Amino acid sequence: MDTEIRREVVAVMCGVGFQESELTDGARLAEDLDIDSTEMVEIVVALEEHFRISIDADAEGGFATVADLIGCVERLRAAVPAGVAATEG
């Protein structure tokens, strides 16, 4: 896992109201962090804006843990050159 991307994902999530200490890779989004569908959309939009990527709306339901979010961002960032938008899904 890319530690720079992980750090940035955690920073984005802190920006929408989470504490860094609770954002471990294995933290479950719904069960541990109490993230509902509205909050998930807020997180995805924040990640899209920060990383200049596009995450397919259908992919949102596929995120179970913080590591899943990080992995998605890593895949999208690796898929295209810098400065070009990428899409998951």
Side-chain angles (χ1 to χ4, degrees), residues 7-56:
R7 191 167 39 82
E8 289 184 53
V9 169
V10 167
V12 168
M13 291 183 74
C14 287
V16 294
F18 295 92
Q19 299 297 313
E20 185 173 353
S21 61
E22 64 188 341
L23 299 174
T24 63
D25 292 344
R28 298 170 298 173
L29 302 176
E31 297 86 349
D32 300 329
L33 302 176
D34 295 321
I35 295 174
D36 62 23
S37 59
T38 302
E39 290 171 313
M40 190 70 232
V41 170
E42 182 180 0
I43 291 165
V44 167
V45 169
L47 290 171
E48 288 178 330
E49 291 174 356
H50 179 83
F51 289 102
R52 297 182 47 122
I53 59 176
S54 179
I55 300 171
D56 186 286

